[in-house]
Amino acid sequence: QVTLKESGPVLVKPTETLTLTCTVSGFSLTNPRLGVSWIRQPPGRALEWLAHIFANDEKSYNTSLKSRLTVSKDTSKSQVVLSMANVGPVDTATYFCARMSTGTYRSFDYWGQGTLVTVSS
Amino acid sequence: DIQMTQSPSSLSASVGDSLTITCRASQSISTYLNWYQQKPGKAPNLLIYAASNLQSGVPSRFSGSGSGTDFTLTISSLQPEDFATYYCQQSYSASTWTFGQGTKVEV
């Protein structure tokens, strides 16, 4: 059974660094056909893809946010970590991690439940 | 970056109706187009991948078509549980991906 679960702070102050963890089960982070992305959704707004980590540890980032994002993984813990530097109120959103499969044309076939992060002083 | 534009942004429908949502890419993406359904407070759920392939477990009343820059999601005989927001997503790029702005299907 494939599952993903996000964890991290509920509230972050402006200018701080947000760190979120995605713990996965039911698949391996070293499977070359799979990867994990972070996607966010501000309240009442659309989905925005943020970052991705491939099985070979290559990373990719949203062009607009690249300077503020870092994604990494710990395969021994089955965890993928996203860091976002210098957050502001516009970063208030529900953050999802999702599995991407090349078997389904690079679609996101499994998602975590999401975690709501509020940026406020 | 490839931009995805959905239309309409919202629509009203009734149970039993058939409806179509459109997604347009800013450049050709072949059939690298996926559709998701999202209900309030929930994570998105993959409906269709590669423009027209139904994800396992998804009812057959959902169908997708298109290639290049223009794509459609059709729901035939709308059911009460289909009232939700639908997103398209391009996966043509090897390493960066984008979603449409969403289409809310309301009663």
Side-chain angles (χ1 to χ4, degrees), chain B residues 2 7 12 14-16 22 24-27 35 37 39 52 68 71 74 76 79 86 92-94 103:
Chain B
I2 300 173
S7 61
S12 297
S14 301
V15 173
T22 298
R24 175 165 289 175
S26 60
Q27 66 179 73
W35 289 98
Q37 177 193 67
K39 296 181 179 179
S52 62
F71 302 86
T74 299
S76 62
Q79 298 301 299
Y86 294 85
Y92 179 79
S93 171
T103 296

Side-chain angles (χ1 to χ4, degrees), chain B residues 68-79:
Chain B
T69 60
D70 294 318
F71 302 86
T72 59
L73 171 70
T74 299
I75 311 173
S76 62
S77 188
L78 202 65
Q79 298 301 299

Side-chain angles (χ1 to χ4, degrees), chain A residues 31-94:
Chain A
N31 184 326
R33 296 176 63 85
L34 303 174
V36 174
S37 274
W38 285 93
I39 297 154
R40 72 178 179 180
Q41 185 172 40
R45 300 188 64 182
L47 301 166
E48 179 181 33
W49 176 79
L50 298 176
H52 184 83
I53 191 161
F54 294 84
N56 63 2
D57 212 38
E58 287 190 21
K59 293 106 172 177
S60 62
Y61 297 100
N62 180 305
T63 303
S64 303
L65 297 167
K66 186 173 184 177
S67 63
R68 299 171 51 210
L69 297 174
T70 304
V71 66
S72 62
K73 64 177 177 173
D74 184 333
T75 55
S76 67
K77 295 182 179 179
S78 295
Q79 292 180 333
V80 176
V81 177
L82 177 74
S83 293
M84 176 181 288
N86 192 27
V87 299
V90 298
D91 297 311
T92 293
T94 297

Side-chain angles (χ1 to χ4, degrees), chain A residues 37 39 41 45-49 52 54 60-64 96 100 103-109 111-114, chain B residues 1 31-32 34 36 38 42-46 49-50 55 87 89 91-97 99-102:
Chain A
S37 274
I39 297 154
Q41 185 172 40
R45 300 188 64 182
L47 301 166
E48 179 181 33
W49 176 79
H52 184 83
F54 294 84
S60 62
Y61 297 100
N62 180 305
T63 303
S64 303
F96 297 98
M100 173 172 278
T104 53
Y105 265 56
R106 296 194 286 261
S107 64
F108 299 107
D109 60 351
W111 295 65
Q113 63 190 20
Chain B
D1 291 357
T31 56
Y32 284 86
N34 310 305
Y36 301 84
Q38 187 181 31
K42 301 294 187 181
N45 181 50
L46 176 65
Y49 64 92
Q55 174 68 340
Y87 293 93
Q89 172 239 335
S91 55
Y92 179 79
S93 171
S95 60
T96 58
W97 304 287
F99 291 89
Q101 80 275 24

